[in-house]
Amino acid sequence: MVKNLLELKNAQRMTIEGNVFENSWSSGQNGLAIVMTPRNQYGTAPWSVVQNIHFVNNIVRHVANAFYITGRDDIFFQTTRTNHITIRNNVFEDISSPWTSTGQTRFLAIIDTDEVVIDHNTIFQEKSVLFGFGGPNTNFRYTNNISHYGEGIQGDATSVGNGAIAAYFPGSTITSNILTGGETVFWDGIENHYPPGNLYPAIMQDVGFVNYNSGTGGNYRLSASSVYRGRGTDGTDLGANIDALEAAQAGNTTTPPPPPAPTPTPTPSPEPTPEPTPNPSPTPTPEPEPTPEPTPNPSPTPTPEPEPTPEPTPDPSPTPTPEPEPNPIDDARFFVRQHYIDFLNREPDPLGLDFWTNQIIVCGSDARCVAARRVNVSAAYFLSVEFQKTGYLVYLMQKASFDSMPRYQEFLRDTRQIGNGVIVGAQGW
């Protein structure tokens, strides 16, 4: 089963450089290539975060969706918000619908992040460039990129272009990008629907690559005759710097130059040795004075008796290290009850609680057996008719209606509403 090519759930201070990611299609997920979604599974790690990630000088090709980035855990529990993600100087080829069974294909789907920068990339995607949903992305920057217009910048339940930007990319910087084919989309001109400073040649061949080659294995440097050379916000060519990308692909990643060597301190000239001072004439020895009569020694002072050494103070007993608090979810009965609440939205019936608890405790102290039985118990709740007709139905309706997964709180609310009063096997249930 193909799920994705790279997934980050709890990661920070990473540089992903000089790789080729290719061939991801719909199966476990919807043909996603790169996924950045913080996950706090079981609610024990609220500090989980994806932050300070640099994705540079890579090639991504033959996938349905290049990036899927969420700001928080949208399935399980609380996490720290995704922030400071930089996607720079990459080439994306063949981001298209043949790699998905749903027809959904995008360069980037993104929700509720902070400080995401997408800069100097060359992108050949079929449909939307950016798709926002679920929550706004703050301090977002999309600059100096080359892509098809496709379906433009979209947002869930908003108009294309400025409407989506206002809702999901407020206060963003979106400028100096090429979006080919966008000029013919709007009857009143695309400039009225997107931020100023972007460029809209009719077709990708008009960009002026050395060799476009239909967006597959071409030479994506801008030719000397391209009118888009030097049009970047930094004064360089738009799109990826292919020289830097190829160097990284060959293993020559960019490193800062070494600090300059210090200027050597000149060796001081030796000082001349001073002339020796002549010895003075010898001083005559004085006559010795007569030795005085010795003074009689006084009576010796008696030595005092030594004081007794005090008894040593005994060391205090060391404070015992407290035992760590047990995690309630490790208890089999608590584990089973939580499944009733989470999956079926009700307290367990006594017979069911005893049955599923015994499925775990029969392992005794065999940790591997316990782990396997816990997985089997979870699977049984997921496959139960009661859950399939309530919670799983909520999930399917969300996917069919909005093409997204329900958030945890939304899932609980809707499941409780649907499952209220449901009794499996009762007439008309």
Side-chain angles (χ1 to χ4, degrees), residues 340-382:
Y340 272 95
I341 295 171
D342 289 345
F343 279 85
L344 308 182
N345 187 38
R346 63 180 176 86
E347 289 291 338
D349 55 278
L351 291 178
L353 179 62
D354 290 341
F355 175 81
W356 291 111
T357 301
N358 288 334
Q359 293 294 308
I360 299 173
I361 64 176
V362 71
C363 294
S365 59
D366 187 339
R368 296 185 65 179
C369 173
V370 169
R373 289 296 186 101
R374 286 164 68 96
V375 171
N376 291 341
V377 169
S378 288
Y381 280 86
F382 177 79

Side-chain angles (χ1 to χ4, degrees), residues 169-202:
F169 307 97
S172 59
T173 301
I174 300 177
T175 190
S176 296
N177 302 289
I178 289 177
L179 296 103
T180 65
E183 191 62 58
T184 60
V185 174
F186 301 94
W187 66 270
D188 58 342
I190 193 170
E191 294 82 2
N192 295 315
H193 298 269
Y194 282 87
N198 295 294
L199 306 160
Y200 308 98

Side-chain angles (χ1 to χ4, degrees), residues 16 107 113 374 410 419:
I16 303 161
F107 168 66
T113 62
R374 286 164 68 96
E410 295 172 339

Side-chain angles (χ1 to χ4, degrees), residues 201-215:
I203 56 177
M204 193 61 74
Q205 288 86 338
D206 292 342
V207 172
F209 294 117
V210 171
N211 179 18
Y212 171 47
N213 199 39
S214 300

Side-chain angles (χ1 to χ4, degrees), residues 83 99 189 307 399:
N83 66 89
W99 299 96
E307 295 185 6
K399 287 289 288 182

